[in-house]
Amino acid sequence: MTHSEQQPWEWDERIWRGHVERVRAGRSLAPKTWPGGARCAVALSFDSDHETPALRDGQTSPAKLAQGEYGARVAVPKILDMLERHRIPASFFMPAVCALLRPQEARSYTKAGHELAIHGWIHERNTQLGAESERELQLRAADTLEQISGVRPVGIRTPSWDFSAHTLSITREMGLLYDSSLMADDEPYELVEDGEATGVVEIPVEWIRDDAPYFMMERFGSLRPYIAPRDVLRIWQDEFAAAYAAGGLFQLTLHPHIIGHRSRLTVLDELLAHIAGHGGVWLATHRDIAEYCRAQHNQN
């Protein structure tokens, strides 16, 4: 009986240990101090998925695609205005298909001083791909973002925060600075692959600090928003407060087509004002965070 034919309780130690140790958290990269003596760091990010999750699943109904179009048409301009008003840099993770559909949007991010980073080709599920297909799409996505924006991406967030057995090796081959898809810590850490330190910085995410679990809606399924936007605001304020008290990182993941509706943008505006009311906060892109954390630990 092959490994793939066995049930997990039938695996011998070599198999289950190999899965667990394939990609792990290595040394913590949390710095002793943040730039300028800041008390904590804040890394705001937006996954500009727009129509691609629907397209990935072969859902081509104009009604379905319109939900994603709202993100680009209505939400992104408002988000960029809000970031400018609060003077906050952000990281935008954008599927290459979205950049091809709206190259002016991709360029607007970098023009405003924000970061543009990799988020797959068409928001594909990379765990369903072979190694070569995943590699080709990741490379093609990076090339496309560079051709459109003029800036080579240095970071990646995998679509749906999914990781195959090959994702990290592809990321290492590309020489990327950081990943932001995994959840092994509250603070930045170094990724380890098969016991080997990789030098790749992980900027960890978490579903608690993501708008999708709170606000997603599926018309023909059981998925429904189950919490009021102002209740989510309280959760995120508590997450920020804990990061601030610990001298750590507050990282937040948002989606224009989800957070970009009026009642939710109001909450985001209040959150950013709340953060701004605290002294000693370093507002930075994911690239800034990764560069600083790695540089600090390379000095030690």
Side-chain angles (χ1 to χ4, degrees):
M1 182 180 296
T2 67
H3 166 209
S4 61
E5 295 173 324
Q6 292 178 319
Q7 296 295 335
W9 55 86
E10 298 176 309
W11 293 345
D12 60 34
E13 182 175 351
R14 176 186 58 83
I15 294 173
W16 55 254
R17 188 176 294 276
H19 286 302
V20 170
E21 295 181 350
R22 178 65 173 170
V23 176
R24 299 297 277 173
R27 60 176 180 162
S28 173
L29 297 179
K32 295 179 180 178
T33 60
W34 295 106
R39 178 73 176 269
C40 80
V42 170
L44 193 64
S45 64
F46 295 86
D47 292 0
S48 297
D49 299 337
H50 305 332
E51 298 95 342
T52 55
L55 291 173
R56 171 203 62 205
D57 293 334
Q59 297 178 347
T60 58
S61 160
K64 183 68 174 179
L65 295 176
Q67 291 179 269
E69 186 180 16
Y70 182 94
R73 178 183 175 87
V74 179
V76 166
K78 292 183 179 180
I79 288 168
L80 289 175
D81 287 346
M82 184 180 297
L83 294 175
E84 182 178 9
R85 177 159 41 84
H86 287 282
R87 298 182 179 179
I88 294 181
S91 297
F92 288 84
F93 295 87
M94 192 176 202
V97 165
C98 290
L100 289 168
L101 282 168
R102 301 179 185 89
Q104 72 283 1
E105 179 190 333
R107 288 191 286 267
S108 74
Y109 297 147
T110 55
K111 184 178 179 180
H114 303 299
E115 178 189 8
L116 182 64
I118 302 166
H119 197 44
W121 175 257
I122 195 168
H123 211 276
E124 62 276 1
R125 293 188 172 92
N126 56 347
T127 54
Q128 297 178 358
L129 301 175
E132 283 306 310
S133 294
E134 182 180 3
R135 177 181 180 274
E136 194 275 331
L137 288 174
Q138 190 163 314
L139 286 165
R140 196 197 321 167
D143 290 343
T144 299
L145 294 183
E146 181 180 22
Q147 290 163 7
I148 289 173
S149 72
V151 180
R152 184 73 177 178
V154 300
I156 183 170
R157 172 171 294 155
T158 59
S160 304
W161 297 346
D162 226 350
F163 240 67
S164 78
H166 315 289
T167 303
L168 183 52
S169 61
I170 297 168
T171 293
R172 296 176 69 184
E173 176 190 347
M174 293 175 66
L176 296 178
L177 168 66
Y178 76 87
D179 174 79
S180 185
S181 316
L182 302 179
M183 309 181 189
D185 206 314
D186 295 312
E187 311 299 339
Y189 59 91
E190 182 177 17
L191 290 177
V192 171
E193 184 174 29
D194 293 326
E196 178 186 7
T198 66
V200 177
V201 179
E202 181 62 35
I203 307 294
V205 294
E206 225 300 321
W207 292 113
I208 299 169
R209 302 186 310 275
D210 185 298
D211 57 357
Y214 304 113
F215 301 136
M216 286 282 282
M217 165 75 182
E218 183 60 49
R219 180 182 177 187
F220 297 111
S222 60
L223 190 62
R224 295 287 188 276
Y226 65 90
I227 188 169
R230 292 194 177 276
D231 292 334
V232 177
L233 172 62
R234 177 63 184 273
I235 294 171
W236 290 343
Q237 286 176 333
D238 287 347
E239 285 284 319
F240 168 73
Y244 191 82
L249 171 67
F250 173 71
Q251 185 278 341
L252 187 66
T253 301
L254 303 165
H255 301 76
H257 71 286
I258 297 175
I259 199 66
H261 294 274
R262 291 165 175 164
S263 61
R264 300 170 188 173
L265 275 181
T266 297
V267 162
L268 177 58
D269 197 23
E270 291 189 21
L271 176 66
L272 299 184
H274 175 77
I275 291 171
H278 291 70
V281 176
W282 181 41
L283 305 166
T285 65
H286 286 49
R287 176 177 187 160
D288 293 334
I289 299 288
E291 288 178 339
Y292 181 79
C293 289
R294 189 159 77 173
Q296 290 295 298
H297 281 267
N298 285 344
Q299 293 174 6
N300 298 333

